[in-house]
Amino acid sequence: MTSRFEENGVTSHLKTMTWQNRNKAIIEGRYCAQDVIFNRAHHLAAGKYKLNVDAAFIPETGVGGIGAVVRNDKGEVMAAMALPLASATSSKHAEIMAFLFGMKFARDAGCSSILIESDSQGVVNDVKKDEEESWASDGHLIGDIKRSLQHFEDVIISYSPRGVNQVAHFLAKHALNCNTIVTWIEEVPFWLESIINDDMVVSS
């Protein structure tokens, strides 16, 4: 079953939601004008959400797929997304797009305090870096990610090995066969249930 996001777009309370930007953040021990804290913590505090993102990429065609899943502090799936990419220039480009669109998906779902996990170490490292010259050809997208991070009250960004990122991975694979975005709210397709259960066991 698809979600109300597909039927009505982002609901009115999400459209009118304002986001508070704080003045301080800690990025690997340094302060800057973002409310973002980067570390390797995986356990969620009460009221915090976790977003896992992943991408699939077919080099021969340049087609990609994005998978994202949002869970609450109890590990329950609150929202999931499979989004096809008509074109991507590389696997890293697809992973960056997964990070960016997954983050926007979580924000539209009402998450203000969130842990974001990606199994792309390169993307996680680029998002953590201050130096724009280190962002290479995808720098403008990394910049978009950094600006979008300011819309959250607080964010933790962490690298997550593929073994504990299976749900997002399978959603990204599923997106390769989709013609448009597919979302689920507080429910998941039957074919994903066992993967979610296995993922929770591995993560615990």
Side-chain angles (χ1 to χ4, degrees):
M1 181 180 296
T2 56
S3 76
R4 64 179 181 274
F5 289 171
E6 292 175 276
E7 296 171 355
N8 302 319
V10 179
T11 54
S12 59
H13 75 280
L14 293 176
K15 288 182 179 179
T16 58
M17 185 176 294
T18 57
W19 306 95
Q20 296 179 343
N21 297 328
R22 299 177 187 175
N23 294 324
K24 290 183 179 180
I26 305 173
I27 298 183
E28 299 179 330
R30 293 175 293 174
Y31 289 92
C32 73
Q34 291 179 343
D35 182 30
V36 184
I37 302 175
F38 299 114
N39 62 33
R40 293 293 297 266
H42 289 266
H43 298 288
L44 296 183
K48 197 175 186 73
Y49 295 90
K50 183 172 77 164
L51 166 68
N52 285 82
V53 297
D54 199 10
F57 175 65
I58 303 176
E60 294 77 11
T61 62
V63 173
I66 289 172
V69 57
V70 178
R71 282 178 273 209
N72 62 17
D73 53 31
K74 298 178 182 178
E76 300 167 333
V77 173
M78 306 305 294
M81 173 185 72
L83 173 66
L85 285 175
S87 62
T89 59
S90 66
S91 59
K92 185 175 181 180
H93 177 243
E95 292 284 1
I96 292 173
M97 297 299 287
F99 200 107
L100 182 60
F101 280 101
M103 187 171 53
K104 290 180 178 180
F105 176 66
R107 186 181 67 190
D108 288 344
C111 302
S112 58
S113 179
I114 193 168
L115 161 65
I116 304 176
E117 291 186 341
S118 167
D119 61 16
S120 174
Q121 184 73 72
V123 174
V124 170
N125 290 343
D126 282 350
V127 173
K128 289 182 179 183
K129 290 176 182 177
D130 274 340
E131 299 82 5
E132 294 189 18
E133 60 270 18
S134 68
W135 301 346
S137 59
D138 294 314
H140 63 291
L141 295 176
I142 297 297
D144 287 344
I145 289 174
K146 286 178 170 286
R147 284 186 290 273
S148 294
L149 288 173
Q150 299 180 41
H151 296 156
F152 295 93
E153 291 184 6
D154 67 270
V155 182
I156 297 172
I157 296 179
S158 177
Y159 166 72
S160 177
R162 172 63 57 79
V164 291
N165 202 40
Q166 286 296 305
V167 177
H169 174 67
F170 273 84
L171 285 167
K173 291 287 189 180
H174 178 70
L176 293 174
N177 300 313
C178 297
N179 294 320
T180 187
I181 183 174
V182 182
T183 61
W184 299 266
I185 303 299
E186 297 184 355
E187 61 181 0
V188 293
F190 71 91
W191 50 265
L192 198 58
E193 291 178 354
S194 62
I195 301 169
I196 289 173
N197 292 333
D198 291 343
D199 198 41
M200 290 179 67
V201 170
V202 173
S203 300
S204 61

